[in-house]
Amino acid sequence: AAKDQGKNRFLTFETQMHEQLLNRLDQEARLRDAVHRGELRLHLQPVVGVAAGQMAGAEALVRWQDPEQGLRMPGSFIPLAEETGVIVDIDRWVLLEACRAVKNWQDEDPATAPAWVSVNLSAAHLEVPDLTDQVAYALSSTGLSPHCLVLELTETVLMRDLAVTSPRLEELRELGVKIAIDDFGTGYSSLGYLRDIPVDVLKIDRSFIDGLVGNGRQQELVNAVIQLGHTLGLRVVAEGVEEASQLNLLTVMGCKFAQGYHLGRPEPAADLYTRLSTPALPTAR
Ligand code: C2E
Ligand code: MG
Ligand code: MG
Ligand code: MG
């Protein structure tokens, strides 16, 4: 009987493995189809100019309207997309949609439109040979000005292979687009790459903003990063600002741009547009 039980346990284990594999294959197939089935959604989160207290730019963040599981956040499908290469299709879609949405907004209502839109690029995408062509196409087909587009890359991605990354970034910058280091301070990085890699924007990771209030040591660190960025001529953005007290501290430190739930959550591009753009009402006389 003991032997039978052991065998059953093994079968159960094997069945579970099998189910997990099927589940993964199913997820992968559905994710692959999501792009051309029109299940991806573009959300925009404001990047606020601290002095004016108004949206200066916006970050494009993807969501998946999964027919089986509802609206899904990137954390639940980007890892699989990266493993399977589907990320390249997703990023290409986001790039085009983000350029389109912001260009339309700039045309419709320049007073409230974001001056720039930033798009996240995965490691895999940086290695796609026609990345520069894809970016050029997104710009030319939508009419968005190149200096209105920022490409966000994490330190880890930038550092992967400097010999490949550097010329690639130069190519992109020759188009006129800007490069941002995303999640600054969390990667496997050295300051040396700030010298070697051409970047325009530095985004301080939210882990440095979290717990900022009441931690003098952390404040000194963030302050130093802001000054360093400014000295190098970079635009510095603080990520993950959730409280007014954090924003106040950052303002005192001279940080010019901030992003976070305190200033605006990511929302569908159309909703943000409707909320911020002034409806073209006839002026009362
Ligand atoms: P990220 O590029 O660092 O984007 C910022 C993330 O922080 C977003 O999460 C945003 O919703 C969240 N966030 C913003 N403000 C706050 C705040 O005040 N508090 C907290 N706790 N979080 C805040 P989201 O949208 O879940 O995206 C997570 C990550 O997924 C992004 O991090 C980015 O690395 C990746 N991602 C998102 N969209 C894309 C995409 O289109 N392509 C690629 N390759 N990656 C993407
Ligand atoms: Mg980002
Ligand atoms: Mg970030
Ligand atoms: Mg991140």
Side-chain angles (χ1 to χ4, degrees):
K3 201 179 158 195
D4 282 354
Q5 263 174 25
K7 197 176 166 191
N8 280 339
R9 262 204 304 278
F10 176 71
L11 281 175
T12 314
F13 177 66
E14 196 179 50
T15 311
Q16 277 175 3
M17 288 281 288
H18 190 65
E19 262 172 27
Q20 272 176 20
L21 182 64
L22 284 181
N23 184 26
R24 201 197 127 97
L25 289 173
D26 170 61
Q27 287 261 341
E28 185 181 331
R30 292 198 300 111
L31 185 55
R32 228 172 253 290
D33 288 341
V35 185
H36 37 93
R37 280 194 191 145
E39 292 168 7
L40 297 184
R41 298 287 177 269
L42 175 74
H43 282 207
L44 291 179
Q45 183 178 31
V47 177
V48 168
V50 169
Q54 276 171 353
M55 178 170 67
E59 175 169 7
L61 296 160
V62 71
R63 273 86 181 100
W64 175 16
Q65 188 64 59
D66 182 346
E68 283 181 22
Q69 293 181 33
L71 192 69
R72 290 173 61 169
M73 303 301 276
S76 84
F77 63 90
I78 294 274
L80 182 62
E82 283 179 332
E83 278 171 48
T84 55
V86 181
I87 191 67
V88 175
D89 293 332
I90 295 178
D91 283 356
R92 194 194 293 118
W93 182 88
V94 173
L95 178 66
L96 200 59
E97 286 306 306
C99 290
R100 200 191 327 269
V102 167
K103 170 61 177 163
N104 286 346
W105 192 340
Q106 290 177 342
D107 287 346
E108 298 283 322
D109 190 6
T112 64
W116 78 81
V117 62
S118 60
V119 173
N120 295 284
L121 287 188
S122 73
H125 212 150
L126 202 61
E127 281 156 25
V128 170
D130 73 339
L131 171 62
T132 308
D133 294 338
Q134 285 181 25
V135 173
Y137 174 76
L139 293 168
S140 64
S141 65
T142 61
L144 185 76
S145 165
H147 66 252
C148 297
L149 179 63
V150 182
L151 301 174
E152 296 195 2
L153 296 146
T154 62
E155 287 169 301
T156 319
V157 170
L158 287 170
M159 293 287 294
R160 259 159 66 124
D161 185 355
L162 282 185
V164 177
T165 315
S166 264
R168 187 38 71 82
L169 295 182
E170 281 296 357
E171 249 175 64
L172 289 166
R173 284 175 99 230
E174 273 164 29
L175 291 177
V177 306
K178 294 187 166 62
I179 307 295
I181 308 176
D182 202 359
D183 305 347
F184 182 80
T186 58
Y188 193 62
S189 61
S190 83
L191 284 179
Y193 79 100
L194 282 178
R195 174 197 60 209
D196 299 330
I197 289 190
V199 292
D200 310 276
V201 183
L202 192 158
K203 300 189 76 175
I204 305 175
D205 189 70
R206 68 177 148 88
S207 58
F208 291 94
I209 309 307
D210 187 36
L212 189 65
V213 178
N215 185 337
R217 206 174 154 82
Q218 192 168 325
Q219 286 169 24
E220 291 301 341
L221 186 64
V222 169
N223 188 43
V225 170
I226 294 168
Q227 308 323 319
L228 173 72
H230 288 165
T231 304
L232 295 173
L234 308 179
R235 179 198 290 157
V236 179
V237 179
E239 297 193 279
V241 177
E242 295 183 350
E243 294 156 18
S245 52
Q246 294 166 339
L247 185 63
N248 292 339
L249 272 175
L250 290 162
T251 308
V252 172
M253 293 175 189
C255 187
K256 296 195 180 71
F257 299 97
Q259 180 180 354
Y261 295 164
H262 174 65
L263 299 153
R265 289 186 177 252
E267 60 181 315
D271 292 3
L272 186 66
Y273 171 74
T274 312
R275 217 157 48 71
L276 295 186
S277 70
T278 40
L281 292 172
T283 357
R285 296 196 48 165

